[in-house]
Amino acid sequence: MAIAGGPARRRRLLLLPPLLFAAVLLLSAASPARAFYLPGVAPRDFQKDDELQVKVNKLSSTKTQLPYDYYFLDYCKPEAIKNSAENLGEVLRGDRIENSVYNFKMRRDETCKVVCRSKLSPEAAKNFKEKIDDEYRVNMILDNLPVVVPRQTREGSQTPSFEHGYRVGYKLKDDKYYINNHLSFKVLYHEDPNSPDARIVGFHVIPSSIKHEYSAWDDKNPTVQTCNSNNKITPGSHTPQDVVPEAYVVFSYDVTFEASEIIWASRWDVYLLSSDSQIHWFSIINSLMIVLFLSGMVAMIMMRTLYKDIANYNQLDNQDEAQEETGWKLVHGDVFRPPVHSGLLCVYVGTGVQFFGMTLVTMMFALLGFLSPANRGGLMTAMVLLWVFMGVLAGYTSSRLYKMFKGTEWKKITLKTAFMFPGIIFALFFFLNALIWGEKSSGAVPFGTMFALFLLWFGISVPLVFVGSFLGFKQPAIEDPVKTNKIPRQIPEQAWYLQPAFSILAGGILPFGAVFIELFFILTSIWLNQFYYIFGFLFIVFIILIVTCAEITIVLCYFQLCSEDYHWWWRAYLTAGSSALYLFAYAIFYFFNKLEITKFVSGILYFGYMLIISYAFFVLTGTIGFYACFWFVRKIYASVKID
């Protein structure tokens, strides 16, 4: 079908997809909360007196990092506790979405609604005290919106701020513990001017502790004397309810509905809006400066290599003079010699390609808004499934590289590709999960989910790795641009700054320096119970990381070849991959300076998960550096005449 308008119109139409993508990227970087709202959930309309069910999630603490089920504490329970549908990501994150006794009617205010009375057993009182000591917070959900507690606004600040979840209770200087047993809810709604429907756009709560008074208790019609329509409960307005064994605790709540100008598409702004956008832009500028510096060095090297060195090498009369000037051509007969442990290198490169594919596709979906925090557990689920399906890339890449090294046991390499990295990660994860299970935390992955992960691994990922490996090994072997000598050339003594250990460690500094500011926000979202949704910034930083890893590896590889050291295969991988060491070192710094973790088990969990993240970062960056150096070496040796 012909496109009307001629070639000019066709060119404009072809430009639309990249321009649209650029617009999405800039919008999501500058204003992530308002750019797109594609959370995977449809808006719900409510009429007056419609039932609103408050769901309870988990008890969470930044001091222990161990989530617990809401009903682990002796809170009021409905007649039947029902678990909402959970996806794989929710289970892995320790989320447990359950029904509660807090049920509202749309736009119907209620004052001092008593829900139940609970007698604290010694065990229940002990659990409450432990959770208050560890600063646990209760997380609730209404219409897919997490509950937030308004903070006191700073002087001169016009933007309201909120805390996620409310505290279980508090402890005063008299060493007495007090439980927040009264909740003052505020539900914000946005009215439709053309219909009686309204949509919920905010869910706030102010917790209070009150020792309710009553003359006689009636379970069917409970009433208390401490609050009524004329006597509103606020924090500190009444005698607080202390936590002691055998004490009766009455749980109650208020709910008010308030019309709001906030539209449904912007209701997550209070969770996602970042006040640190200037710091994010500083991070981008800092990373771009590093990239520009490296790009300048790479440009100088490429100009010298392609325009000076190659020109001299191709002049046969000046061949001896060219060899005296630089030494990278002298190792042409050894530069493509297979490295030591070449099979292991193929496995790690294949795994790195699998991880790169997963990261890139996940980030693209997140950038477009499909993996918004409103789609609870969606990000984790997408990462696991994409990792499984990207196994075909891992098998294809490792087998093609293995065939280039003239290997014949492709099935053995395929098995290593399918089991080595996932096996190490799964062993660490199983150990950490056993620790969580020992603490009776809801964060422990149940047996059924663990079995599902096994099925994904053995039933889908492993067969796809074999399919990719079979297809890759059937392809013709990658031809080297120059022939390899039978006898290896002796490597001259290297300067101290060209020693493998020094150059590898030095090479990892700049890739880490390009991402460490953004890394702070990522760690904060993981360990301090914050939402991360600045995927526009993250995608830009990811592109900068790719360029930085590629360029620093090319620079150091060129210096290595000029010093007549042709063992570049592993060196290229480890040079970029060493940035993972700095990431783990920064994780140690972050632990002692930003976190307040005191429990031994919680510390092991933190460093265990950060070790997994650092290992994955090593595989990703190492593969990027390897392929950059692989392209560079083939390019320069294919450009010269070899006798």
Side-chain angles (χ1 to χ4, degrees), residues 60 137-140 146-149 163-167 205 207 529:
S60 59
R137 290 180 170 274
V138 179
N139 296 280
M140 294 181 168
V147 71
V148 291
V149 180
E163 296 177 346
H164 301 158
Y166 66 89
R167 288 181 182 270
V205 68
N529 197 27

Side-chain angles (χ1 to χ4, degrees), residues 212-396:
H212 282 296
E213 298 176 1
Y214 48 90
S215 55
W217 185 261
D218 182 3
D219 285 328
K220 295 182 179 179
N221 185 26
T223 57
V224 293
Q225 301 165 355
T226 38
C227 66
N228 51 58
S229 58
N230 300 321
N231 186 17
K232 191 172 183 181
I233 297 176
T234 58
S237 63
H238 294 74
T239 302
Q241 174 65 60
D242 53 349
V243 181
V244 290
E246 307 302 327
Y248 284 98
V249 179
V250 177
F251 292 89
S252 59
Y253 70 91
D254 300 328
V255 58
T256 57
F257 288 83
E258 182 179 302
S260 173
E261 296 298 323
I262 299 172
I263 61 173
W264 188 85
S266 299
R267 66 178 190 161
W268 272 81
D269 284 7
V270 296
Y271 308 94
L272 308 179
L273 196 57
S274 173
S275 59
D276 302 312
S277 57
Q278 291 182 346
I279 301 176
H280 277 283
W281 282 116
F282 173 76
S283 169
I284 300 297
I285 294 171
N286 167 69
S287 303
L288 285 174
M289 294 303 294
I290 294 175
V291 169
L292 290 175
F293 169 72
L294 283 174
S295 299
M297 292 187 65
V298 171
M300 290 174 59
I301 290 172
M302 295 296 287
M303 286 179 64
R304 182 186 173 192
T305 302
L306 296 178
Y307 292 102
K308 185 178 178 181
D309 292 356
I310 295 175
N312 289 338
Y313 284 147
N314 289 338
Q315 294 176 5
L316 298 179
D317 295 339
N318 298 329
Q319 189 70 26
D320 294 337
E321 181 182 344
Q323 288 183 356
E324 292 176 1
E325 180 185 352
T326 184
W328 66 265
K329 189 194 172 186
L330 296 180
V331 295
H332 67 84
D334 299 278
V335 73
F336 291 104
R337 188 180 303 280
V340 180
H341 305 300
S342 59
L344 184 62
L345 179 63
C346 296
V347 170
Y348 268 99
V349 171
T351 304
V353 171
Q354 181 181 10
F355 201 86
F356 180 83
M358 179 208 73
T359 305
L360 184 63
V361 177
T362 302
M363 210 166 292
M364 294 293 292
F365 278 110
L367 185 67
L368 294 172
F370 290 105
L371 300 179
S372 135
N375 188 6
R376 210 173 311 278
L379 181 63
M380 184 75 71
T381 304
M383 291 177 66
V384 172
L385 294 180
L386 283 171
W387 167 265
V388 169
F389 291 118
M390 291 295 172
V392 65
L393 297 181
Y396 183 86

Side-chain angles (χ1 to χ4, degrees), residues 15-221:
L15 283 172
L16 279 177
L19 288 176
L20 180 61
F21 176 74
V24 170
L25 181 61
L26 290 174
L27 281 172
S28 56
S31 181
R34 292 181 174 84
F36 276 86
Y37 193 86
L38 300 170
V41 291
R44 293 182 61 190
D45 295 320
F46 297 95
Q47 295 183 351
K48 190 173 182 180
D49 291 334
D50 280 354
E51 290 283 344
L52 299 179
Q53 294 185 345
V54 176
K55 297 180 180 179
V56 290
N57 190 349
K58 60 185 176 183
L59 308 173
S60 59
S61 169
T62 57
K63 291 185 68 174
T64 67
Q65 303 296 333
L66 292 168
Y68 284 87
D69 185 80
Y70 174 80
Y71 294 111
F72 178 83
L73 297 179
D74 200 11
Y75 284 122
C76 301
K77 298 179 181 178
E79 293 182 0
I81 299 176
K82 300 177 182 178
N83 292 325
S84 299
E86 295 175 338
N87 56 42
L88 180 61
E90 285 182 289
V91 178
L92 294 177
R93 292 175 66 245
D95 285 343
R96 300 290 186 271
I97 313 299
E98 298 165 320
N99 59 327
S100 74
V101 294
Y102 298 100
N103 295 314
F104 311 148
K105 289 188 181 296
M106 185 66 178
R107 299 164 68 177
R108 180 75 66 182
D109 294 353
E110 290 187 274
T111 303
C112 201
K113 176 81 172 179
V114 177
V115 288
C116 81
R117 184 182 68 160
S118 176
K119 185 179 180 180
L120 295 182
S121 65
E123 181 69 20
K126 177 187 174 185
N127 288 337
F128 269 112
K129 289 179 179 180
E130 288 179 351
K131 297 301 173 280
I132 292 172
D133 274 333
D134 291 331
E135 299 179 7
Y136 269 84
R137 290 180 170 274
V138 179
N139 296 280
M140 294 181 168
I141 299 170
L142 176 64
D143 190 34
N144 206 41
L145 273 182
V147 71
V148 291
V149 180
R151 286 185 185 141
Q152 188 173 0
T153 308
R154 296 178 182 177
E155 294 184 6
S157 176
Q158 301 295 327
T159 305
S161 59
F162 300 90
E163 296 177 346
H164 301 158
Y166 66 89
R167 288 181 182 270
V168 171
Y170 56 92
K171 179 182 178 182
L172 295 182
K173 294 180 180 178
D174 57 3
D175 287 337
K176 288 186 178 180
Y177 296 83
Y178 300 95
I179 181 175
N180 286 322
N181 59 321
H182 181 85
L183 304 177
S184 298
F185 293 105
K186 180 195 287 186
V187 179
L188 304 181
Y189 63 92
H190 183 77
E191 292 183 285
D192 187 344
N194 299 319
S195 73
D197 296 340
R199 293 177 178 176
I200 295 174
V201 294
F203 185 33
H204 303 170
V205 68
I206 297 178
S208 305
S209 181
I210 176 172
K211 191 169 186 178
H212 282 296
E213 298 176 1
Y214 48 90
S215 55
W217 185 261
D218 182 3
D219 285 328
K220 295 182 179 179
N221 185 26

Side-chain angles (χ1 to χ4, degrees), residues 456-507:
L456 287 173
W457 182 10
F458 286 89
I460 300 178
S461 179
V462 173
L464 285 178
V465 172
F466 268 91
V467 169
S469 185
F470 176 75
L471 295 175
F473 208 76
K474 283 187 65 177
Q475 298 294 321
I478 301 173
E479 296 292 335
D480 298 331
V482 293
K483 293 183 179 180
T484 302
N485 296 333
K486 293 183 178 181
I487 302 176
R489 181 185 179 88
Q490 186 174 1
I491 299 174
E493 186 176 350
Q494 302 293 301
W496 65 271
Y497 54 85
L498 291 175
Q499 294 295 327
F502 179 82
S503 63
I504 287 172
L505 290 176

